[in-house]
Amino acid sequence: MTKPHVTIDLEVITNHLHAAYERPTRLAVWTAMADIPVMLAEIQRTLALLTRARLDFANLLAAARASLAAERDGEPDPYSYLRDEVAQHRGEQEQQ
């Protein structure tokens, strides 16, 4: 699994904001304001990653619970639920 990376330079954005506070020239303020759409895009991207991670976790947890219940009920292949979900998860990762 790859680690999500930040697509913005937080230090540069912070410097733009501080420059606009310290010396609020038109250029400094416009430069700081120009960072807003970039930050909004990063927030949307991060929320999409979080949503995906939460869905993956929920699906894996449901499969684990189904496998435990199947084992308790004496099904012949109780871990098939978990194997199927892990296989699906791996297949989706390979497509990305």
Side-chain angles (χ1 to χ4, degrees):
M1 176 184 287
T2 60
K3 178 181 171 186
H5 62 280
V6 177
T7 61
I8 59 176
D9 190 335
L10 295 173
E11 185 177 352
V12 169
I13 291 172
T14 302
N15 290 340
H16 290 167
L17 183 60
H18 287 304
Y21 277 136
E22 292 170 7
R23 190 160 180 247
T25 63
R26 278 188 181 189
L27 178 61
V29 171
W30 278 108
T31 301
M33 288 177 60
D35 290 331
I36 293 171
V38 175
M39 290 187 297
L40 290 173
E42 178 65 10
I43 290 168
Q44 287 178 322
R45 188 185 74 83
T46 304
L47 286 174
L49 288 171
L50 175 61
T51 299
R52 179 56 196 240
R54 292 179 73 182
L55 179 62
D56 288 347
F57 174 78
N59 287 341
L60 287 168
L61 181 60
R65 287 177 174 163
S67 291
L68 291 172
E71 182 182 44
R72 188 176 52 246
D73 293 343
E75 288 188 24
D77 187 13
Y79 296 104
S80 63
Y81 303 103
L82 195 54
R83 275 195 307 276
D84 291 346
E85 187 59 38
V86 169
Q88 181 179 352
H89 183 73
R90 283 185 182 154
E92 289 173 359
Q93 281 184 334
E94 290 172 2
Q95 291 175 0
Q96 294 176 359

XYZ file of all heavy atoms in Angstrom:
761
model
N 0.853 -1.175 0.000
C 0.000 0.000 0.000
C 0.901 1.241 0.000
O 1.858 1.323 0.748
C -0.890 -0.010 1.247
C -1.730 1.242 1.363
S -2.713 1.324 2.865
C -3.954 0.125 2.491
N 0.560 2.178 -0.843
C 1.349 3.402 -0.899
C 0.794 4.441 0.065
O -0.401 4.483 0.325
C 1.361 3.987 -2.321
O 0.013 4.282 -2.696
C 1.980 3.032 -3.314
N 1.686 5.256 0.561
C 1.304 6.304 1.504
C 0.782 7.507 0.713
O 1.443 7.952 -0.231
C 2.529 6.699 2.321
C 2.286 7.798 3.300
C 3.569 8.138 4.030
C 3.394 9.384 4.851
N 4.647 9.812 5.459
N -0.391 8.036 1.076
C -0.881 9.233 0.388
C 0.088 10.393 0.598
O 0.664 10.551 1.663
C -2.214 9.529 1.061
C -2.596 8.295 1.771
C -1.327 7.569 2.085
N 0.287 11.161 -0.423
C 1.212 12.279 -0.327
C 0.450 13.609 -0.360
O -0.631 13.705 -0.938
C 2.235 12.222 -1.459
C 1.604 12.342 -2.821
N 0.993 11.284 -3.441
C 1.483 13.388 -3.651
C 0.521 11.680 -4.605
N 0.792 12.947 -4.760
N 1.030 14.597 0.253
C 0.453 15.936 0.252
C 0.815 16.586 -1.076
O 1.969 16.548 -1.502
C 0.999 16.773 1.432
C 0.454 18.187 1.397
C 0.653 16.100 2.754
N -0.163 17.180 -1.731
C 0.083 17.765 -3.046
C 0.306 19.268 -2.986
O 0.433 19.907 -4.024
C -1.089 17.478 -3.998
O -2.278 18.068 -3.454
C -1.285 15.984 -4.189
N 0.331 19.814 -1.792
C 0.567 21.254 -1.638
C 1.792 21.478 -0.769
O 2.183 20.608 0.001
C -0.657 21.980 -1.035
C -1.022 21.405 0.330
C -1.837 21.919 -1.980
C -2.144 22.127 1.037
N 2.376 22.648 -0.889
C 3.535 23.005 -0.070
C 3.042 23.881 1.082
O 2.799 25.080 0.913
C 4.569 23.749 -0.922
C 5.886 23.942 -0.195
O 5.893 23.959 1.055
O 6.911 24.087 -0.889
N 2.867 23.261 2.236
C 2.307 23.976 3.390
C 3.190 25.130 3.834
O 2.687 26.173 4.267
C 2.084 22.999 4.546
C 1.046 21.912 4.295
C 1.031 20.916 5.440
C -0.327 22.513 4.091
N 4.482 24.968 3.725
C 5.390 26.034 4.133
C 5.220 27.271 3.246
O 5.170 28.400 3.739
C 6.840 25.546 4.088
C 7.833 26.567 4.609
C 9.257 26.054 4.617
O 9.479 24.861 4.373
O 10.159 26.868 4.866
N 5.099 27.056 1.955
C 4.912 28.178 1.030
C 3.584 28.878 1.306
O 3.519 30.114 1.362
C 4.988 27.695 -0.436
C 4.529 28.781 -1.397
C 6.394 27.249 -0.769
N 2.534 28.108 1.503
C 1.220 28.697 1.782
C 1.259 29.488 3.082
O 0.721 30.600 3.169
C 0.134 27.599 1.811
C -0.062 27.052 0.396
C -1.168 28.129 2.379
C -0.954 25.854 0.317
N 1.899 28.946 4.100
C 2.030 29.651 5.376
C 2.818 30.943 5.193
O 2.438 31.993 5.744
C 2.721 28.744 6.420
O 1.940 27.553 6.569
C 2.835 29.432 7.759
N 3.884 30.894 4.422
C 4.666 32.102 4.160
C 3.842 33.156 3.431
O 3.933 34.346 3.739
C 5.926 31.770 3.360
C 6.935 30.998 4.180
O 6.895 31.009 5.414
N 7.835 30.309 3.511
N 3.024 32.737 2.477
C 2.153 33.678 1.767
C 1.188 34.356 2.741
O 0.979 35.576 2.680
C 1.345 32.969 0.681
C 2.161 32.506 -0.473
N 1.663 31.626 -1.402
C 3.436 32.764 -0.864
C 2.584 31.379 -2.318
N 3.677 32.055 -1.999
N 0.617 33.569 3.631
C -0.336 34.113 4.601
C 0.343 35.089 5.546
O -0.168 36.190 5.795
C -0.991 32.972 5.380
C -2.073 33.359 6.379
C -3.218 34.072 5.677
C -2.569 32.139 7.119
N 1.505 34.716 6.067
C 2.240 35.615 6.974
C 2.650 36.903 6.264
O 2.573 37.987 6.845
C 3.462 34.910 7.565
C 3.112 33.885 8.592
N 2.358 34.157 9.711
C 3.420 32.558 8.663
C 2.210 33.057 10.415
N 2.835 32.066 9.809
N 3.062 36.802 5.022
C 3.446 37.994 4.258
C 2.259 38.929 4.091
O 2.398 40.157 4.212
C 4.009 37.590 2.898
N 1.082 38.345 3.852
C -0.123 39.173 3.689
C -0.517 39.836 5.009
O -1.006 40.971 5.009
C -1.269 38.324 3.158
N -0.305 39.159 6.126
C -0.592 39.754 7.437
C 0.404 40.858 7.775
O 0.032 41.919 8.265
C -0.545 38.704 8.544
C -1.809 37.908 8.712
C -1.748 36.526 8.900
C -3.057 38.503 8.715
C -2.893 35.786 9.066
C -4.214 37.769 8.867
C -4.129 36.410 9.040
O -5.259 35.680 9.201
N 1.675 40.580 7.543
C 2.727 41.521 7.927
C 2.743 42.772 7.065
O 2.981 43.877 7.560
C 4.094 40.823 7.862
C 4.263 39.758 8.923
C 5.509 38.914 8.721
O 6.333 39.240 7.828
O 5.654 37.908 9.446
N 2.516 42.596 5.784
C 2.550 43.732 4.861
C 1.441 43.513 3.834
O 1.673 42.936 2.761
C 3.910 43.801 4.173
C 4.101 45.078 3.401
C 5.585 45.327 3.160
N 5.721 46.563 2.427
C 6.159 46.642 1.178
N 6.542 45.563 0.547
N 6.240 47.803 0.578
N 0.236 43.953 4.140
C -0.921 43.639 3.291
C -0.988 44.446 1.992
O -1.920 45.212 1.764
C -2.110 43.915 4.200
C -1.630 44.905 5.188
C -0.161 44.659 5.360
N -0.008 44.252 1.146
C -0.052 44.870 -0.174
C -1.017 44.063 -1.048
O -1.367 42.926 -0.717
C 1.341 44.875 -0.829
O 1.749 43.522 -1.027
C 2.359 45.617 0.037
N -1.420 44.660 -2.160
C -2.320 43.934 -3.069
C -1.701 42.613 -3.512
O -2.366 41.581 -3.528
C -2.622 44.780 -4.301
C -3.676 45.788 -4.100
C -4.019 46.425 -5.420
N -5.033 47.428 -5.216
C -5.653 48.025 -6.183
N -5.360 47.741 -7.434
N -6.579 48.921 -5.914
N -0.435 42.655 -3.880
C 0.232 41.445 -4.349
C 0.272 40.369 -3.269
O -0.026 39.194 -3.531
C 1.654 41.763 -4.823
C 2.473 40.563 -5.303
C 1.791 39.891 -6.494
C 3.882 40.981 -5.642
N 0.612 40.756 -2.039
C 0.704 39.781 -0.942
C -0.661 39.160 -0.652
O -0.777 37.941 -0.458
C 1.280 40.437 0.305
N -1.696 40.001 -0.644
C -3.048 39.498 -0.355
C -3.533 38.596 -1.491
O -4.084 37.515 -1.251
C -4.018 40.666 -0.096
C -5.451 40.160 -0.007
C -3.634 41.403 1.182
N -3.338 39.022 -2.732
C -3.756 38.206 -3.866
C -2.991 36.886 -3.915
O -3.561 35.845 -4.249
C -3.574 38.959 -5.187
C -4.711 39.891 -5.469
C -4.696 41.238 -5.409
C -6.049 39.525 -5.826
N -5.941 41.757 -5.700
C -6.792 40.714 -5.971
C -6.691 38.309 -6.035
C -8.138 40.727 -6.305
C -8.046 38.327 -6.381
C -8.743 39.521 -6.513
N -1.716 36.923 -3.585
C -0.923 35.692 -3.564
C -1.467 34.727 -2.516
O -1.620 33.524 -2.779
C 0.564 36.006 -3.292
O 1.040 36.885 -4.309
C 1.402 34.743 -3.280
N -1.785 35.249 -1.329
C -2.354 34.399 -0.274
C -3.724 33.871 -0.685
O -4.044 32.696 -0.455
C -2.443 35.182 1.031
N -4.527 34.723 -1.322
C -5.862 34.287 -1.754
C -5.783 33.242 -2.864
O -6.651 32.369 -2.965
C -6.680 35.492 -2.212
C -7.123 36.379 -1.066
S -8.009 37.835 -1.621
C -9.388 37.121 -2.467
N -4.758 33.326 -3.679
C -4.604 32.352 -4.769
C -4.358 30.941 -4.244
O -4.588 29.959 -4.959
C -3.461 32.779 -5.686
N -3.925 30.832 -2.996
C -3.694 29.515 -2.394
C -5.004 28.826 -2.009
O -5.028 27.604 -1.839
C -2.815 29.639 -1.145
C -1.388 30.017 -1.471
O -0.913 29.671 -2.577
O -0.740 30.664 -0.617
N -6.082 29.582 -1.872
C -7.349 29.013 -1.397
C -7.877 27.904 -2.311
O -8.192 26.810 -1.819
C -8.396 30.116 -1.157
C -7.949 30.999 0.010
C -9.777 29.514 -0.879
C -8.791 32.240 0.214
N -7.979 28.097 -3.625
C -8.475 26.991 -4.469
C -7.589 25.742 -4.405
O -8.090 24.616 -4.439
C -8.480 27.582 -5.885
C -8.473 29.048 -5.701
C -7.777 29.314 -4.401
N -6.295 25.962 -4.279
C -5.362 24.826 -4.186
C -5.612 24.062 -2.887
O -5.649 22.819 -2.879
C -3.901 25.325 -4.262
C -2.924 24.188 -4.044
C -3.653 26.037 -5.573
N -5.803 24.799 -1.796
C -6.070 24.133 -0.509
C -7.424 23.425 -0.530
O -7.553 22.318 0.008
C -6.011 25.151 0.627
C -4.612 25.660 0.892
S -4.474 26.723 2.354
C -5.514 28.088 1.905
N -8.422 24.025 -1.155
C -9.730 23.372 -1.254
C -9.646 22.072 -2.050
O -10.265 21.067 -1.677
C -10.759 24.314 -1.880
C -11.182 25.495 -1.012
C -12.083 26.441 -1.809
C -11.878 25.023 0.251
N -8.882 22.089 -3.123
C -8.693 20.866 -3.914
C -8.007 19.787 -3.083
O -8.368 18.601 -3.156
C -7.886 21.171 -5.176
N -7.022 20.180 -2.287
C -6.323 19.213 -1.431
C -7.260 18.654 -0.365
O -7.231 17.453 -0.063
C -5.097 19.852 -0.781
C -4.333 18.940 0.150
C -3.688 17.747 -0.532
O -3.658 17.676 -1.772
O -3.213 16.859 0.187
N -8.111 19.497 0.182
C -9.091 19.031 1.172
C -10.042 18.026 0.531
O -10.321 16.964 1.107
C -9.862 20.213 1.785
C -8.927 21.030 2.682
C -11.081 19.739 2.566
C -9.496 22.372 3.113
N -10.531 18.323 -0.670
C -11.427 17.391 -1.360
C -10.733 16.063 -1.643
O -11.324 14.993 -1.462
C -11.931 17.998 -2.665
C -12.943 19.093 -2.463
C -13.382 19.711 -3.772
O -12.577 19.893 -4.677
N -14.656 20.035 -3.861
N -9.493 16.125 -2.087
C -8.738 14.904 -2.377
C -8.532 14.081 -1.106
O -8.713 12.863 -1.093
C -7.385 15.268 -2.996
C -6.602 14.081 -3.523
C -5.216 14.517 -4.001
N -4.337 14.801 -2.889
C -3.653 13.876 -2.219
N -3.768 12.609 -2.539
N -2.860 14.211 -1.224
N -8.190 14.766 -0.024
C -7.958 14.089 1.252
C -9.248 13.461 1.776
O -9.239 12.330 2.287
C -7.373 15.073 2.278
O -6.187 15.644 1.733
C -7.053 14.395 3.587
N -10.357 14.170 1.641
C -11.644 13.609 2.069
C -12.023 12.381 1.248
O -12.564 11.413 1.788
C -12.742 14.663 1.991
C -12.705 15.734 3.067
C -13.751 16.809 2.794
C -12.925 15.123 4.448
N -11.720 12.405 -0.047
C -11.999 11.236 -0.884
C -11.158 10.038 -0.431
O -11.661 8.904 -0.368
C -11.723 11.565 -2.350
N -9.888 10.288 -0.107
C -9.033 9.209 0.399
C -9.541 8.672 1.733
O -9.544 7.455 1.965
C -7.590 9.703 0.555
C -6.804 9.940 -0.728
C -5.477 10.632 -0.416
C -6.570 8.631 -1.465
N -9.976 9.562 2.602
C -10.505 9.145 3.899
C -11.780 8.323 3.727
O -11.952 7.280 4.372
C -10.773 10.364 4.780
C -11.433 10.089 6.130
C -10.556 9.190 6.994
C -11.719 11.401 6.849
N -12.657 8.778 2.851
C -13.897 8.046 2.594
C -13.596 6.649 2.082
O -14.204 5.666 2.519
C -14.770 8.821 1.584
O -15.085 10.095 2.141
C -16.048 8.082 1.255
N -12.640 6.555 1.166
C -12.262 5.254 0.616
C -11.675 4.343 1.699
O -11.997 3.154 1.772
C -11.251 5.456 -0.528
C -10.784 4.183 -1.156
C -11.992 3.398 -1.636
N -11.644 2.040 -1.911
C -11.780 1.476 -3.089
N -12.274 2.154 -4.087
N -11.441 0.225 -3.245
N -10.825 4.896 2.539
C -10.212 4.101 3.611
C -11.278 3.607 4.588
O -11.230 2.446 5.034
C -9.155 4.924 4.342
N -12.233 4.467 4.912
C -13.298 4.062 5.835
C -14.163 2.966 5.228
O -14.563 2.022 5.913
C -14.136 5.264 6.230
C -13.350 6.260 7.099
C -14.176 7.448 7.468
N -15.153 7.022 8.459
C -16.072 7.817 8.978
N -16.139 9.070 8.603
N -16.925 7.369 9.872
N -14.447 3.074 3.929
C -15.240 2.047 3.244
C -14.483 0.723 3.209
O -15.056 -0.336 3.486
C -15.586 2.508 1.830
C -16.391 1.520 0.992
C -17.754 1.249 1.626
C -16.556 2.049 -0.418
N -13.208 0.782 2.871
C -12.393 -0.440 2.862
C -12.378 -1.101 4.234
O -12.519 -2.320 4.346
C -10.958 -0.136 2.424
C -10.839 0.172 0.946
O -11.801 -0.076 0.194
O -9.763 0.658 0.545
N -12.196 -0.292 5.278
C -12.174 -0.838 6.635
C -13.517 -1.471 6.979
O -13.565 -2.584 7.526
C -11.838 0.261 7.647
C -11.938 -0.209 9.067
C -10.934 -0.980 9.631
C -13.052 0.102 9.841
C -11.038 -1.431 10.936
C -13.154 -0.342 11.145
C -12.148 -1.117 11.697
N -14.604 -0.781 6.654
C -15.937 -1.315 6.965
C -16.181 -2.636 6.238
O -16.727 -3.583 6.823
C -17.005 -0.293 6.590
N -15.780 -2.710 4.977
C -15.967 -3.950 4.213
C -15.132 -5.093 4.779
O -15.603 -6.231 4.887
C -15.621 -3.725 2.746
C -16.667 -2.895 2.031
O -17.801 -2.769 2.488
N -16.288 -2.302 0.911
N -13.886 -4.808 5.138
C -13.032 -5.849 5.712
C -13.548 -6.297 7.081
O -13.525 -7.492 7.404
C -11.591 -5.358 5.817
C -10.847 -5.262 4.493
C -9.542 -4.486 4.659
C -10.566 -6.650 3.930
N -14.024 -5.351 7.878
C -14.583 -5.701 9.185
C -15.839 -6.551 9.032
O -16.018 -7.552 9.740
C -14.888 -4.431 9.981
C -15.453 -4.628 11.383
C -14.481 -5.431 12.250
C -15.751 -3.279 12.025
N -16.697 -6.196 8.082
C -17.912 -6.986 7.845
C -17.552 -8.402 7.393
O -18.166 -9.381 7.835
C -18.784 -6.300 6.800
N -16.542 -8.511 6.536
C -16.118 -9.836 6.071
C -15.537 -10.654 7.224
O -15.782 -11.857 7.327
C -15.094 -9.694 4.947
N -14.776 -10.005 8.088
C -14.208 -10.712 9.240
C -15.319 -11.195 10.171
O -15.294 -12.342 10.643
C -13.245 -9.795 9.997
N -16.296 -10.343 10.413
C -17.424 -10.737 11.271
C -18.223 -11.873 10.637
O -18.658 -12.808 11.333
C -18.316 -9.540 11.543
C -17.688 -8.551 12.501
C -18.559 -7.343 12.711
N -17.999 -6.480 13.743
C -18.341 -5.225 13.912
N -19.251 -4.652 13.133
N -17.788 -4.513 14.872
N -18.432 -11.808 9.322
C -19.160 -12.872 8.629
C -18.386 -14.187 8.717
O -18.978 -15.251 8.909
C -19.395 -12.488 7.171
N -17.072 -14.111 8.603
C -16.245 -15.323 8.701
C -16.318 -15.927 10.096
O -16.423 -17.150 10.247
C -14.789 -15.006 8.346
O -14.678 -14.703 6.976
N -16.259 -15.071 11.113
C -16.361 -15.584 12.485
C -17.720 -16.219 12.740
O -17.817 -17.285 13.373
C -16.096 -14.456 13.484
C -14.661 -13.929 13.522
C -14.567 -12.690 14.404
C -13.700 -15.012 13.987
N -18.772 -15.595 12.243
C -20.121 -16.162 12.407
C -20.243 -17.476 11.642
O -20.846 -18.437 12.136
C -21.170 -15.162 11.929
N -19.660 -17.533 10.441
C -19.720 -18.763 9.645
C -18.970 -19.894 10.334
O -19.414 -21.049 10.327
C -19.131 -18.497 8.256
N -17.849 -19.561 10.955
C -17.098 -20.582 11.693
C -17.915 -21.085 12.881
O -17.989 -22.286 13.130
C -15.768 -20.005 12.169
C -14.922 -21.035 12.903
C -13.628 -20.445 13.412
O -13.643 -19.332 13.970
O -12.600 -21.115 13.251
N -18.529 -20.160 13.565
C -19.351 -20.512 14.727
C -20.540 -21.386 14.304
O -20.945 -22.295 15.021
C -19.838 -19.227 15.409
C -20.543 -19.435 16.721
C -20.919 -18.130 17.427
N -21.650 -17.215 16.564
C -21.186 -16.023 16.150
N -20.000 -15.602 16.529
N -21.903 -15.256 15.361
N -21.071 -21.120 13.087
C -22.214 -21.887 12.592
C -21.807 -23.203 11.931
O -22.661 -23.964 11.485
C -23.011 -21.052 11.584
C -23.688 -19.857 12.232
O -23.822 -19.841 13.476
O -24.077 -18.922 11.494
N -20.496 -23.452 11.853
C -20.015 -24.716 11.313
C -20.009 -24.792 9.793
O -20.031 -25.890 9.234
N -19.962 -23.669 9.114
C -19.897 -23.693 7.648
C -18.584 -24.342 7.211
O -17.559 -24.222 7.890
C -20.006 -22.272 7.078
C -21.393 -21.684 7.208
C -21.525 -20.354 6.474
O -20.756 -20.100 5.524
O -22.403 -19.573 6.864
N -18.581 -25.026 6.059
C -17.383 -25.750 5.629
C -16.201 -24.830 5.267
O -15.048 -25.228 5.424
C -17.847 -26.538 4.396
C -19.120 -25.902 3.972
C -19.719 -25.243 5.177
N -16.455 -23.639 4.790
C -15.373 -22.719 4.414
C -15.681 -21.332 4.991
O -16.047 -20.403 4.265
C -15.244 -22.653 2.887
C -14.029 -21.862 2.438
O -13.153 -21.565 3.284
O -13.958 -21.528 1.243
N -15.530 -21.182 6.298
C -15.964 -19.940 6.932
C -15.159 -18.698 6.530
O -15.665 -17.586 6.587
C -15.803 -20.216 8.424
C -14.787 -21.294 8.511
C -14.960 -22.115 7.268
N -13.934 -18.902 6.097
C -13.098 -17.738 5.784
C -13.204 -17.291 4.325
O -12.469 -16.403 3.895
C -11.645 -18.022 6.174
C -11.540 -18.221 7.670
C -11.388 -19.487 8.199
C -11.658 -17.143 8.534
C -11.341 -19.676 9.580
C -11.613 -17.320 9.906
C -11.462 -18.585 10.423
O -11.418 -18.773 11.766
N -14.132 -17.874 3.601
C -14.322 -17.479 2.205
C -14.741 -16.013 2.100
O -14.342 -15.311 1.160
C -15.354 -18.372 1.520
O -16.620 -18.229 2.143
N -15.530 -15.540 3.054
C -15.959 -14.127 3.041
C -14.751 -13.202 3.122
O -14.640 -12.228 2.378
C -16.902 -13.829 4.214
C -18.126 -14.705 4.255
C -18.214 -15.767 5.149
C -19.191 -14.477 3.385
C -19.338 -16.578 5.185
C -20.316 -15.279 3.412
C -20.382 -16.329 4.315
O -21.489 -17.125 4.340
N -13.866 -13.531 4.019
C -12.673 -12.708 4.216
C -11.728 -12.814 3.020
O -11.203 -11.798 2.545
C -11.961 -13.134 5.507
C -10.917 -12.201 6.064
C -11.448 -10.790 6.257
C -10.383 -12.733 7.385
N -11.538 -14.023 2.508
C -10.672 -14.199 1.332
C -11.210 -13.409 0.136
O -10.456 -12.748 -0.576
C -10.550 -15.680 0.964
C -9.474 -16.412 1.725
C -9.146 -17.756 1.069
N -10.316 -18.588 0.840
C -10.869 -19.387 1.756
N -10.352 -19.470 2.969
N -11.920 -20.107 1.466
N -12.524 -13.470 -0.059
C -13.134 -12.747 -1.187
C -12.932 -11.241 -1.059
O -12.608 -10.565 -2.031
C -14.626 -13.054 -1.286
C -14.907 -14.483 -1.713
O -13.970 -15.160 -2.190
O -16.064 -14.927 -1.555
N -13.116 -10.717 0.130
C -12.969 -9.273 0.331
C -11.515 -8.831 0.177
O -11.241 -7.808 -0.442
C -13.495 -8.869 1.719
C -13.525 -7.385 1.945
C -14.383 -6.625 0.955
O -15.444 -7.121 0.562
O -13.975 -5.496 0.582
N -10.597 -9.626 0.701
C -9.177 -9.291 0.549
C -8.776 -9.365 -0.924
O -8.066 -8.492 -1.425
C -8.296 -10.213 1.423
C -6.826 -10.056 1.073
C -8.532 -9.904 2.899
N -9.265 -10.371 -1.634
C -8.953 -10.498 -3.063
C -9.510 -9.314 -3.842
O -8.838 -8.769 -4.730
C -9.519 -11.810 -3.603
N -10.707 -8.900 -3.523
C -11.305 -7.744 -4.195
C -10.497 -6.482 -3.893
O -10.229 -5.681 -4.786
C -12.754 -7.554 -3.758
C -13.425 -6.390 -4.449
C -14.878 -6.232 -4.032
O -15.439 -7.073 -3.330
N -15.490 -5.155 -4.450
N -10.082 -6.336 -2.661
C -9.290 -5.172 -2.259
C -7.958 -5.142 -3.005
O -7.533 -4.109 -3.502
C -9.065 -5.199 -0.744
C -8.324 -4.034 -0.215
N -8.882 -2.789 -0.110
C -7.061 -3.911 0.220
C -7.989 -1.951 0.377
N -6.872 -2.615 0.590
N -7.313 -6.291 -3.111
C -6.034 -6.374 -3.837
C -6.225 -6.058 -5.315
O -5.416 -5.374 -5.922
C -5.418 -7.753 -3.684
C -4.776 -7.978 -2.358
C -4.095 -9.318 -2.323
N -3.507 -9.551 -1.031
C -3.298 -10.750 -0.531
N -3.603 -11.824 -1.215
N -2.746 -10.876 0.661
N -7.307 -6.563 -5.893
C -7.573 -6.302 -7.306
C -7.796 -4.842 -7.590
O -7.326 -4.303 -8.593
N -8.474 -4.139 -6.699
C -8.707 -2.708 -6.871
C -7.412 -1.934 -6.737
O -7.195 -0.964 -7.439
C -9.723 -2.211 -5.857
C -11.137 -2.707 -6.141
C -12.116 -2.362 -5.034
O -11.711 -1.745 -4.029
O -13.296 -2.718 -5.185
N -6.530 -2.359 -5.853
C -5.243 -1.682 -5.696
C -4.379 -1.841 -6.933
O -3.682 -0.920 -7.332
C -4.494 -2.207 -4.472
C -4.992 -1.646 -3.177
C -4.149 -2.113 -2.007
O -3.520 -3.171 -2.057
N -4.142 -1.343 -0.949
N -4.421 -3.019 -7.546
C -3.609 -3.271 -8.733
C -4.092 -2.436 -9.910
O -3.314 -2.077 -10.784
C -3.630 -4.754 -9.077
C -2.856 -5.595 -8.072
C -3.035 -7.078 -8.297
O -3.744 -7.472 -9.263
O -2.497 -7.856 -7.493
N -5.382 -2.113 -9.959
C -5.936 -1.318 -11.060
C -5.560 0.152 -10.942
O -5.583 0.859 -11.921
C -7.445 -1.437 -11.090
C -7.928 -2.814 -11.504
C -9.437 -2.938 -11.402
O -10.129 -2.000 -11.030
N -9.941 -4.104 -11.752
N -5.207 0.607 -9.747
C -4.884 2.029 -9.540
C -3.487 2.359 -9.952
O -2.621 1.652 -10.111
C -5.085 2.408 -8.084
C -6.526 2.338 -7.683
C -6.734 2.615 -6.200
O -5.805 2.841 -5.440
N -7.965 2.591 -5.792
